[in-house]
Amino acid sequence: MNLAAKDIQHNLGRFALTVFGIGMLLMIVMGMGGIYRGLVEDATLLVERIGADLWVVQRDTRGPFAEVSRVPKTLVYRVLAVPGVESAREFVFHTIQREQNGKPLRMSVLGLSWPLDKGEWLPLVAGRPLAQNHYEMIADKTLGLRPHEQIKLGKETYTVVGITGGMASTAGDGMIFVTVWDSQAIQFDTPNEAIRLERAAREHRSEATDLFLSQPVLTEQLSRPVAELPAVASPELSAVVVRVAPGADMDAVAAAISTWSDVSVFTKAGQEDLLLKGMVDKSRRQLGMFRALLTIIAAVIMALILYTLTLDKLHSIALLKLIGAPNRVILGLILQQAIVLGGVGYGIAFLVGQKLFPYFPRRVVLTSEDLLRLAAIVLGISVLSSLLGIWRAMRVEPNEALMG
Amino acid sequence: MNEHLAIETRGLTKVYGSGNTEVVAMRDATVAVRRGEVIALLGPSGAGKSTFLTAVGLINPPTSGQVLISGVLVLDGPIALVHLRSFRRKHIGYVFQKSNLIPFLSARENVQIALQLDGASPRRARRRTLELLEELGVADRAENGTSMLSGGEQQRVAIARALANDPSVILADEPTAALDSHRGRQVMELFRRVAHEHGAGVIVVTHDQRTLEVFDTIYEMEDGAITNGIHSQEAVR
Ligand SMILES: Nc1ncnc2c1ncn2[C@@H]1O[C@H](COP(=O)(O)OP(=O)(O)O)[C@@H](O)[C@H]1O
Ligand SMILES: [Mg+2]
């Protein structure tokens, strides 16, 4: 005969409600852990997916994700010349916020270095990779864009041709993928009036320059688009991503590029480290603190519930002692209920959480390691929180049964 | 001779509190109960009857005096000479005025738990429980929750539990207070029967003057002191 089970059956409604409450509380604790995991995964997702061995960024910056980095377009060719480099690609990345259907739409724009990269490596859930070098884009499904939908960015209109699943930037914004050219067009888009003003300013400057006075034919060149002016730098990249040839020494390649005084080099692990230590760390500590507090609160609430459940049973406990039940029976009664409370609460947390977490705006990732650790913690606080009740039950005198 | 005594108390005294608040609830109570003997303990409220009963029942040790159960010295003053809880489980059955049962167990489980606590297998405990409930006429209520039982039925289930481990001592404190006189009498006769059949010594605290002829011996208690027992036939006369 299991006394704990009998008592639970007798007060089933109340016990069920209590367990549900504990379950919700544990679900929040679980969710906190999942949000943290999601943060870490989001942070490293891009670096992981892009799969580059080395990241070459502007000297002394921690770019291109943690901060802004600018490198010249020609860096790609310099890097390609380094022995051991299999491929080097342009990497352009920036975040924009526009409106679509009256709602703010935050997108992280990643440039694909067409034609080497058409986005075949992306986890497409619908549509196709890019098929032309302009005006097509692949968007993540969290952005809510549909295939064939058109969206105006800068002076051009782009058509959504593919949809990815789970591609979010480190900040959790959905990503769009266009060619590097398009991404730069979007990034460096200037209003027409600004272009006209700049052109006028250019002509005005030329009137004061000896070169233009002696060679007036040059003045005509000033009204051409910026990209065609030899004296003006073409738009810059965020970084160059490098794949090292199989068998080549990655450290040697990194060391060789590091000697150039205009760039810094990070390995994939180093880049991930930058993201985790720099960007996610505060959030992680914040969530950690919150989770610890919630765990303590759950333990206190459970202790209170178990203490109350014990108080309700004092007469029965006295009676059990009176008819000669050993302490182990009474201890078992309380401890088993504590474990059922924690265990079933945990189960509810897991089941409800699984249904609920996908609707959270940012990813909540439940790893089996985290789940196991939380299960151990719940078991721990179940046992710990039953101590107060057990202590009270042990103090009950058998003759208290006569005071009923 | 001690082998024949189910219960023997020698000079039991109980003092509650100390100094100004000191109450002597029981003084020099000396009683002997043979196996199979049923005794009644009468007396006004506050006389010390419950104090005496709980001292004999090993749940409220006396300040001084001795308690022997089946010839074994169990309590010497407040000092326990055996492991009280397991000794109670094996040798003593209790019935009180009310709230005798564990509310979250059924009638059957309330009896069965006593047997299982003493090491009986669930199957054997269940069979014996059903026999006892049958014997006490509440077999049809076996699976009912305790709150579904009438006062008399509850008392009979409690008596079944008291009898479960074949105790040598049964202690009942006003077991019929919550019952009508007909039911009260039935319960008293039940005590008599089980005392004779199971060979237990039974002490019943009661106020009910009408059932006294059921008892072998009647003791009276006043201001903590117990008068010498009188044979019940004389008392009734
Ligand atoms: N726990 C206690 N603390 C102090 N005094 C008590 C306690 N229990 C009983 N008494 C006192 O001891 C006396 C006898 O009580 P009790 O044995 O309950 O009498 P009865 O059962 O005959 O009514 C009473 O005066 C009562 O107030
Ligand atoms: Mg009393």
Side-chain angles (χ1 to χ4, degrees), chain B residues 49-50 173-174 205:
Chain B
K49 307 183 295 295
S50 295
D173 198 349
E174 303 186 33
V205 171

Side-chain angles (χ1 to χ4, degrees), chain A residues 1 3 6-7 10 313 315-316 319-327 329-330 333 397-399 401-402 404, chain B residues 54 59-60 85-86 88-89 94 96 98-105 109-110 112-114 116-117 122 161:
Chain A
M1 190 184 320
L3 292 175
K6 296 285 173 189
D7 183 41
H10 191 249
K313 280 197 290 285
H315 182 260
S316 297
L319 207 57
L320 281 168
K321 287 188 178 183
L322 182 77
I323 64 171
N327 280 342
V329 169
I330 290 146
L333 170 64
E397 291 291 329
N399 58 358
L402 313 184
Chain B
T54 51
I59 49 183
N60 185 14
R85 219 182 283 183
S86 54
R88 285 201 298 269
R89 185 166 72 222
Y94 303 86
F96 305 103
K98 53 178 180 154
S99 316
N100 271 302
L101 303 177
I102 296 171
F104 55 82
L105 299 180
E109 290 161 345
N110 261 286
Q112 199 172 326
I113 182 86
Q116 282 185 221
L117 285 176
R161 186 186 57 205

